[in-house]
Amino acid sequence: MYYSIGEVSHITGIAVSTLRYYDREGMFPDIKRSNGGIRIFSQKEIETLRIIDCLKTTGMSIKEIKEFLGWCQEGDSSLQKRREMFYNRLEKVKKQIETLENTMSLLKYKCWYYDTAVAAGSEDAVKNLSTNEIPEDFLKTAKSP
């Protein structure tokens, strides 16, 4: 099945201008064009966009993604490099998740803190709580610097 740039934009949520930019940057080396020069996207380009989006989410730059896509064009000779890149990205995402989990813990604690203060009508009701009065889920977060 083939798609116009507008259809791909609608399917992926990626702006038409971004799709054109990716094409200009050589990220779709095998993309077909109509007799009138209009891009004709296939499932292959949509899969490439899925990978681009994934790698961007991990923090990779467009330059790094282009390098990866170049490796893909090299075929089996670059399998090891591609494998290592994905393992490196996986470690980076694990660290991002850990950071986000710590952030979420602090946010949950602060929600409880302010819910409790608002219900009591004063922040003093929470500031002076002893350790055994703080819910166990929040003890680590409440006592960290």
Side-chain angles (χ1 to χ4, degrees), residues 51-78:
I51 295 298
I52 291 169
D53 190 49
C54 172
L55 295 175
K56 278 179 58 180
T57 300
T58 73
M60 276 183 86
S61 68
I62 293 296
K63 181 181 175 183
E64 292 169 314
I65 294 169
K66 283 175 57 176
E67 182 178 34
F68 164 73
L69 294 173
W71 293 342
C72 293
Q73 292 294 305
E74 292 173 10
D76 289 348
S77 66
S78 67

Side-chain angles (χ1 to χ4, degrees), residues 1-45:
M1 179 141 198
Y2 295 99
Y3 307 91
S4 70
I5 198 166
E7 290 170 325
V8 171
S9 176
H10 181 73
I11 291 167
T12 63
I14 299 171
V16 169
S17 59
T18 302
L19 295 170
R20 287 185 180 122
Y21 169 74
Y22 289 166
D23 185 33
R24 280 192 311 273
E25 290 296 312
M27 297 173 120
F28 309 123
D30 299 325
I31 196 165
K32 306 277 189 256
R33 291 191 180 259
S34 71
N35 291 336
I38 297 171
R39 294 168 187 88
I40 302 170
F41 290 80
S42 69
Q43 198 59 42
K44 180 179 178 181
E45 284 80 31

